[in-house]
Amino acid sequence: MRLQLNPISDMKYLFSLLFIASVLVASAQEDNAAGEYKKRVLEHTEIDFLLNYYEQDGENAAVTGGRGTEELQDVSPTIIVAVPLNDDDVLTINANISAYTSASSSNINPFDGKQPADPFVASSGASKSDMWGNVVGSYSHSSDDRNRLWNANLSVSAEFDYVSFGFGAGRTWLFNEKNTELSLNGNVYLDTWSLIYPIELRPPGDDEPDEDDYMLDDEDDFSGSTFELIVPGYNPSFTEHPGKGRNSYSAGLGLSQILSSKLVGYVSADFILQDGLLSTPYHRIYFADKEDSFYENFHLADDVERLPDSRFKIALGGRLNYFVNHRITLRTYYRYYTDDWGITSHTASIEIPVKVTDKFTIYPSYRFYNQTAADYFAPYNAHLSTEEFYTSDYDLSEFSANNYGFGVSYTDVFTQSHIWKLGLKSIDLKFHKYDRDSEFSASMVSLGVKFVVD
């Protein structure tokens, strides 16, 4: 069953939370009116409006076993509201809706009757588009001397095939006259999948297919038994996944140090443990040692992706920011990643903000990434049926990628421009172009506007 989100209901829920927060703000301000003056962690309520447009294309869709269109378009609006509850406490609410159209996910059921099924052609079926929604609430508290901070968060997100609940907390300490900062954090995510399989592998219904089933023009009219009847020799090696849950546990450590008047360094370590259903149920697999079966122009699946039910990840990173002068800054980053699935990766990036005027900054950026393949990866129609685990998802393949970016930022700390009671603090416009050496490319445009509530 598809889970449909209601953006209107989501926004009503968000504004209800914001109303409660505003009441808390008023109460906290009254309580502190007679007290001593203390610089607030956040002076005024801040509202961020973000809008991202993302598109991608490629020829190695995991839904069709590592061969087929990866075309996708996504529009994602986000609102972030940070509310100072008093001098020390801040409540932040982040609500995000992502509406996408995906040619590859449409081929979960490519037999919609409108045209011959083909892995490189999008189906017009129900799974071609959907919506993802996410709401995160976080609370932070700072000590009077601003040398200690703790925070906690709760989140919920949902899409057509899963629901996720998350919670976490963190602690930050500042030492050495605030020149040294140490942070610890931990998060837990509890996910539940809906087991949606490729149409040709779905369990048969109670009744035998009738004459209309052979037309394959409605995803509710047929199941795996239909294909076994109409495609000679089709005999998939398929059993359903035993569970629907997936849990993720993460812990992170960060250390920041001001090394000189122009140089700041930061190192981090992140550890993630996942268990449960880590395979995607609708990713097809084709075996080289089994006879191929086709209906129309579509290769019928031999099985679905099978991966271990646990995964441990380690990421070690470091940043160096160098202030060349009052106009130019160099921001560099490196990360090493490894996991027990056999993937090792390296990420290196540089960003160069250039302050053109007091209010305008441009920032070109470049990021390089490469990784080894997971132990369980093989391309289209290359796995063997004797293997225990297998995937043809090219996100788990060996590849290198380049990401080129350019951004423009406008900042007015005095918020001289206003829209009603909202003072305009900043505007950011960014563009990124991403290219893999595995015939995959993507681009993203993002716009962010920050307001301060007077």
Side-chain angles (χ1 to χ4, degrees), residues 97-145:
I97 295 174
S98 176
Y100 68 88
T101 300
S102 170
S104 78
S105 68
S106 75
N107 282 325
I108 295 173
N109 170 30
F111 308 105
D112 55 22
K114 305 298 188 298
Q115 59 191 359
D118 190 297
F120 291 96
V121 177
S123 164
S124 59
S127 55
K128 70 176 181 179
S129 62
D130 218 287
M131 189 175 293
W132 172 86
N134 172 253
V135 178
V136 181
S138 61
Y139 174 86
S140 65
H141 172 79
S142 297
S143 63
D144 289 340
D145 60 7

Side-chain angles (χ1 to χ4, degrees), residues 221-240:
D221 286 344
F222 60 91
S223 62
S225 60
T226 306
F227 291 94
E228 293 175 23
L229 287 172
I230 64 177
V231 179
Y234 180 52
N235 183 26
S237 304
F238 171 72
T239 57
E240 295 190 61

Side-chain angles (χ1 to χ4, degrees), residues 133-245:
N134 172 253
V135 178
V136 181
S138 61
Y139 174 86
S140 65
H141 172 79
S142 297
S143 63
D144 289 340
D145 60 7
R146 302 298 185 248
N147 285 331
R148 297 178 305 281
L149 179 147
W150 68 264
N151 62 81
N153 65 81
L154 292 172
S155 67
V156 59
S157 59
E159 199 175 354
F160 78 96
D161 62 338
Y162 88 100
V163 176
S164 176
F165 296 94
F167 56 91
R171 191 70 189 265
T172 300
W173 298 266
L174 281 80
F175 308 97
N176 190 24
E177 297 182 347
K178 298 186 181 351
N179 290 321
T180 305
E181 180 179 308
L182 174 66
S183 60
L184 297 172
N185 65 80
N187 290 280
V188 176
Y189 295 95
L190 309 175
D191 305 342
T192 301
W193 286 81
S194 297
L195 298 181
I196 299 174
Y197 298 109
I199 192 67
E200 68 269 31
L201 297 178
R202 294 180 189 177
D206 295 333
D207 300 325
E208 289 296 323
D210 56 29
E211 182 179 353
D212 291 335
D213 291 329
Y214 295 96
M215 297 174 63
L216 304 184
D217 60 356
D218 188 326
E219 68 177 52
D220 295 324
D221 286 344
F222 60 91
S223 62
S225 60
T226 306
F227 291 94
E228 293 175 23
L229 287 172
I230 64 177
V231 179
Y234 180 52
N235 183 26
S237 304
F238 171 72
T239 57
E240 295 190 61
H241 286 295
K244 299 181 178 181

Side-chain angles (χ1 to χ4, degrees), residues 44 359 410-418 422-426 450-454:
H44 303 281
K359 293 184 178 181
Y410 167 85
T411 303
D412 181 7
V413 295
F414 299 107
T415 62
Q416 295 176 339
S417 300
H418 283 73
L422 303 178
L424 178 61
K425 186 174 183 178
S426 65
K450 182 188 290 279
F451 292 99
V452 174
V453 180
D454 292 341

Side-chain angles (χ1 to χ4, degrees), residues 4-5 38 49-50 84 149 155 238 240 298 306 313:
Q4 297 293 337
L5 301 181
K38 179 168 54 174
F49 295 99
L50 308 175
L149 179 147
S155 67
F238 171 72
E240 295 190 61
F298 200 88
R306 308 280 178 179
K313 310 176 184 180

